[in-house]
Amino acid sequence: MEASEENIRVQNREGLVGFTSFTLFCKRLISSPPFVTHFANTKTPKQQQHTMEASEENIKAVVQILTQTLSPDLGVRRGAEEYLLTKAQPQPGFSLLILKMLTLSGIEPTIKVAAAILFKNFVKRNWVVVEGKDQVVVSDSDRQQIKGVLVELMLNVEPAIMKQLSEALALISASDFPAKWNTLLPSLVTKFSTPDFRVINGVLETVNTIFRKYRHEYKSEPVIQELKYILDIISAPLLQLAQATSQLIDQSAAAPKTLEVLFQSLNLIFDIFYSLCAVDLPEFFEDHMKEWMNEFLKFLNYESKLEELISDDENEAGLLHKVQARVCDNINLFIGKYEEEFEAYLRTFMQAVWQLVVKTNHEAKYDEVVSSAIGFLKSVAQSVEYKLYSDPGTMRSIVEQIVIRNMEFRESDEEIFEDNGLEYIRRDIEGSDNDTRRRAACELIKALRIHFNPQITELCSAYISTLLQHYAQDPKKNWKAKDSAIFLVTALTVTTSTQAKGVTSTNDRVNVVDFFTKNILPELQGQMSQSLVLKADCLKFTNMFRSQIPFEMYPAVMQLAIAHLDSPQYVVHSYAAIAIERLLTVKVRHPSQGNLVTVFNAAELKPYLQSLLTNLFKVLQMNESKENDYVMKALMRVVSNAAEELAPITEAVITQLNAILGRVYKNPTNPTFNHYLFETISALIRGATTANSANIEILERHLFPAFQAILSEDITEFAPYVFQLLSFLLELRPDVPESYMALFGHLLAPTLWQRTGNVPALNRLVQAFVRKAGPRLAESGQLEPILGVFQKLIASQVTDHEGFFLLESVVESMSTPMLQKYLSNIFTLIFSRLQVCKTMKFIRSFIVFLCLFISKHGATVVVQLVDSIQPRLFHMVLESLLLPNLQKVTGHIERKLCCIAISTLLGDCPAMLSEPYYALWGKLLQAVVTVIEEPEDDTVPADMADNYVETEDVASGSGSGYSNAFSLLVYATKSDVDPFKEVDPKRFLVTMLKKLSAQHPGKFGMIVQQSLTPQSAAALQRYFIESGIPEPYLS
């Protein structure tokens, strides 16, 4: 079927290849062999959907279904959930019906809460439209009605329902406020005048949730304008509400329940204040700073013994101390960002904060306010007012009354250490303990070192000596003294550190190696019956200062860390695993050779391999550590570093790993552990098969039953991992065994490709099949289904690059005759997508594909093919797509492909010797030299900026709209394969030019001189010289 000039018109407009009649494209696809064999029925045609009216009958039906979602019968529950998701929710009006339900009496409270949760999840999944995501379409009418009733409804329901609706409102406001919902804030602020503080608190909760995003925004013109709109509405009412609340607190001293509600309000008001000041200091707040600071100071000094304000739970902060923590947060913000404006209040607040810290006892419920208060004192030490600490007496008081006192290991800490090891580690080592006193005290010492390093080092060193002496008098009884000493040494020593290397620079006034040798190693060398907390402290210290350990001490340190894996205590064996994992990453300069070496490479690790594997697998059998991700990460690092040394014991190791996999896939609960498990398997595959290719049979024999179970039981969390490992194993093989071929047909099932988390791994697996057995697949009729996958993938901005990856494997692996009858449709699909949505990612992918096709199948085939779709269309492609964007292609192999393809066009394409292509010959030559000589251009045109998604972002799940269910296995990554590894692009270019010049002597010399810049001409001359080809061929 030929396209006539009347039916299709190709325009050149800003590089866009546009088709005026897309119907013709559909007709062409229908008249040609279809690609959609496997995907024709993946989406049901849209049927006329009727609005779900909020009738009594419909409400009763939904109530019944919601009741079934709470059934203890799994089958009943899943059936109800499936109905809601696939049948009820897609109907227009469904969300409004749910909101109507919440206003009715006679419905069980539990059902109403379930309905509110359903509404919140509906909003979460469907309110923001994400391209490529399967969503319910929420009509504009429904959106407006929801926004019209949600605020009033939220404020008139029970607290449990209010919480869910508040979260739903915050989700909507995140996308719509203020631009698409300018009535929201005025309607909320009007509620400040209501006498019911429970309503006010509901409003404040919502406002607080909406405004918290500004804590993480950068100062920019759009953000400033948004904040100005907000502040014009809320600044004065918020201050008036704060003052009115303060007055009511004074008047309600004898009404504890009233005070409880008022302090809840105050806590939210102070939190909102912080969010509004986080980007810039609002003019209104600056003008009324005295009023705000008076309120802050009043409640910083406020005292009460009422149980409504002072929690009787030893671990839960009371309302008063939450409010005081908010005050400290705010003045901390001001000393850090608005120091000049805050200067007049600094000394007053510093005195009040100091007194607050000193008078507050050690109970855990006060940790938040004490930590925040110490944080303020730290900020003062970092500010221009640091001289407030210069007096020796002041400094001594800080160390005695604040630092040492708040570094002490408390009974509550010991309880967490013993009863909740995971929480202890998260607080102690993962940086989630910003609200703990110990971290705050350490940070205060670090801040004081900025301006007073000699003084604070000398002062703290004396306290460290005292603490260690106290410990030495009775180590069993006084172990907490050494614990404090270790923390104080750490605070005093660390200058800079990174996650990857640990401590990278230290206080030169502290001999950390001496402390390690005299105080850390002896503790680790002692019997396990000694203080387990100190064992953990010493392992943590070893981990932190791993790069400062003397080279000759590493073997002994590794042995000690391995020994501590035997401890049944969760924190101790976890810290041992962390230390081992980090030690295996250490690179230091060899003391005699001077070069940078990995301390524990495969050869150095070999003596410890048996004990490491035995002890790590033993820990993973302990009840508390069956899914300990710290231990699994250490195992991953051991397997990775050991590499080929594991080849002889491959079967023993994979047996253990397979047993763990067989246990966790039945109930995946720890994503981090699971990821490290699959990384460990990947590392084993890589190391074992590198040393002995026969190990692949052992690995497959053990893994395939588990893989089959995961896929057959539809364990969605593990499927992307299985596809990656199958790809990795297949890529290691020279051909495709029958066991793999039996799987291939199932890989093209549409349901698998509908889960975007599967796409990168599944696509890689299909590519592996195509590259290993392309002709075989084509002969068996599988090429059309494969191209059906390509068709589906390029239809979405999210997955279009994956479609090109698949198409490139087809082009690489199959001959021109095999592809001939599909080529027109392939290019038609690509051009139609360009017409619908042009993105830089898509253009770059298309250019790489086009260049690969030319390099593999010849330029003449492509020119004739594209021009058969529309006369002179290939000229348009060159002029409007390839030439303007060639320099934006990224990747060494991809840019090399471009050079080879353009060189082929220049020297081995008769069409380029006549018009209209002859006019582009010189531009193409300049372009290819530019690609060789200059770095890639990473700018994105303004008209494509909104649609631009990096391939790397998409693969990692961080790209917009892409499922984060896919996690790349680093140890199973595919090696880049250069299909033209023997070709030197410079030599190939001059060879093509030599051939062309010999065929057409004297024709191209002038074009070369006119087309190339002086720099490019000199570069081309150099290519001739380097290739040993005389330059006169161009004359």
Side-chain angles (χ1 to χ4, degrees), residues 350-377:
M350 186 173 171
Q351 182 179 1
V353 168
W354 190 306
Q355 291 174 353
L356 178 65
V357 174
V358 171
K359 74 182 181 183
T360 305
N361 68 35
H362 279 74
E363 289 183 70
K365 64 184 177 183
Y366 303 122
D367 282 3
E368 182 184 12
V369 65
V370 171
S371 299
S372 188
I374 295 175
F376 172 74
L377 298 177

Side-chain angles (χ1 to χ4, degrees), residues 325 327-336 353-354 357 367-383 389 402 406 434-437 439-445 447:
V327 171
C328 291
D329 290 342
N330 278 301
I331 60 176
N332 202 352
L333 174 69
F334 270 69
I335 187 64
V353 168
W354 190 306
V357 174
D367 282 3
E368 182 184 12
V369 65
V370 171
S371 299
S372 188
I374 295 175
F376 172 74
L377 298 177
K378 178 202 74 172
S379 296
V380 174
Q382 294 171 325
S383 73
Y389 295 113
I402 297 176
N406 287 288
N434 291 328
D435 291 331
T436 65
R437 303 181 186 218
R439 174 61 61 87
C442 286
E443 293 300 317
L444 177 56
I445 289 293

Side-chain angles (χ1 to χ4, degrees), residues 63-341:
V63 168
Q64 183 178 358
I65 296 167
L66 284 171
T67 303
Q68 292 173 355
T69 65
L70 303 177
S71 169
D73 186 313
L74 180 61
V76 172
R77 193 165 67 246
R78 283 188 173 174
E81 290 168 353
E82 180 69 15
Y83 182 85
L84 285 172
L85 193 63
T86 61
K87 304 293 184 183
Q89 289 192 26
Q91 296 188 53
F94 172 78
S95 52
L96 291 166
L97 180 147
I98 295 296
L99 294 181
K100 176 69 174 177
M101 280 178 56
L102 300 178
T103 67
L104 301 177
S105 59
I107 298 176
E108 290 290 330
T110 53
I111 300 302
K112 283 190 173 183
V113 172
I117 294 172
L118 178 65
F119 176 77
K120 179 190 70 176
N121 291 334
F122 175 87
V123 169
K124 183 184 295 185
R125 279 194 298 266
N126 303 305
W127 196 269
V128 177
V129 179
V130 179
E131 198 277 334
K133 183 180 177 183
D134 187 19
Q135 293 176 287
V136 173
V137 177
V138 185
S139 69
D140 290 341
S141 172
D142 281 6
R143 289 172 184 268
Q144 292 305 318
Q145 289 185 68
I146 288 169
K147 288 189 286 190
V149 302
L150 189 54
V151 172
E152 203 63 40
L153 175 61
M154 179 191 72
L155 299 175
N156 289 281
V157 292
E158 296 78 7
I161 299 173
M162 180 187 290
K163 181 177 184 297
Q164 301 301 326
L165 294 184
S166 177
E167 291 179 19
L169 190 150
L171 289 167
I172 296 172
S173 69
S175 68
D176 288 17
F177 176 80
K180 299 178 183 177
W181 199 359
N182 56 15
T183 60
L184 173 61
L185 191 57
S187 66
L188 289 171
V189 170
T190 57
K191 303 298 181 183
F192 285 180
S193 58
T194 180
D196 188 347
F197 264 81
R198 285 180 172 79
V199 171
I200 291 175
N201 285 351
V203 171
L204 291 173
E205 285 275 10
T206 303
V207 171
N208 191 33
T209 304
I210 295 170
F211 291 170
R212 287 188 77 85
K213 70 174 185 176
Y214 295 110
R215 299 183 180 209
H216 313 291
E217 295 279 9
Y218 291 104
K219 187 176 180 179
S220 65
E221 188 59 30
V223 171
I224 292 297
Q225 289 303 315
E226 205 170 284
L227 280 168
K228 184 180 184 306
Y229 162 80
I230 291 167
L231 289 160
D232 285 347
I233 296 171
I234 201 172
S235 293
L238 188 68
L239 176 58
Q240 291 166 9
L241 182 61
Q243 292 174 323
T245 305
S246 176
Q247 291 170 8
L248 285 171
I249 287 172
D250 294 340
Q251 298 166 12
S252 306
K257 294 299 181 183
T258 302
L259 283 176
E260 183 178 10
V261 175
L262 293 172
F263 267 86
Q264 289 171 354
S265 303
L266 204 61
N267 187 50
L268 290 165
I269 291 168
F270 289 174
D271 217 24
I272 292 168
F273 179 91
Y274 185 101
S275 298
L276 293 175
C277 294
V279 174
D280 197 10
L281 181 58
E283 184 179 348
F284 181 89
F285 288 171
E286 185 177 357
D287 293 342
H288 295 81
M289 198 161 169
K290 182 178 180 181
E291 292 97 313
W292 279 109
M293 293 303 152
N294 285 342
E295 298 301 335
F296 288 162
L297 188 60
K298 171 182 175 179
F299 289 101
L300 197 60
N301 292 321
Y302 195 95
E303 294 185 359
S304 175
K305 294 184 179 180
L306 293 173
E307 62 179 20
E308 285 79 6
L309 302 184
I310 309 295
S311 172
D312 57 1
D313 185 336
E314 61 183 21
N315 294 310
E316 180 66 32
L319 280 169
L320 171 59
H321 296 100
K322 287 181 179 180
V323 167
Q324 291 174 334
R326 299 294 78 73
V327 171
C328 291
D329 290 342
N330 278 301
I331 60 176
N332 202 352
L333 174 69
F334 270 69
I335 187 64
K337 291 193 71 169
Y338 314 118
E339 196 169 346
E340 183 178 345
E341 292 82 358

Side-chain angles (χ1 to χ4, degrees), residues 818-862:
M818 288 179 179
L819 298 173
Q820 191 67 53
K821 67 177 181 178
Y822 304 108
L823 293 177
S824 179
N825 282 353
I826 288 171
F827 278 91
T828 299
L829 281 169
I830 293 171
F831 292 143
S832 66
R833 165 58 205 277
L834 278 167
Q835 187 266 342
V836 173
C837 181
K838 177 182 65 171
T839 68
M840 180 52 63
K841 176 165 71 79
F842 190 90
I843 290 172
R844 290 191 306 186
S845 298
F846 171 58
I847 290 173
V848 172
F849 158 71
L850 183 66
C851 290
L852 175 64
F853 194 99
I854 291 170
S855 301
K856 278 286 185 181
H857 298 273
T860 298
V861 173
V862 177

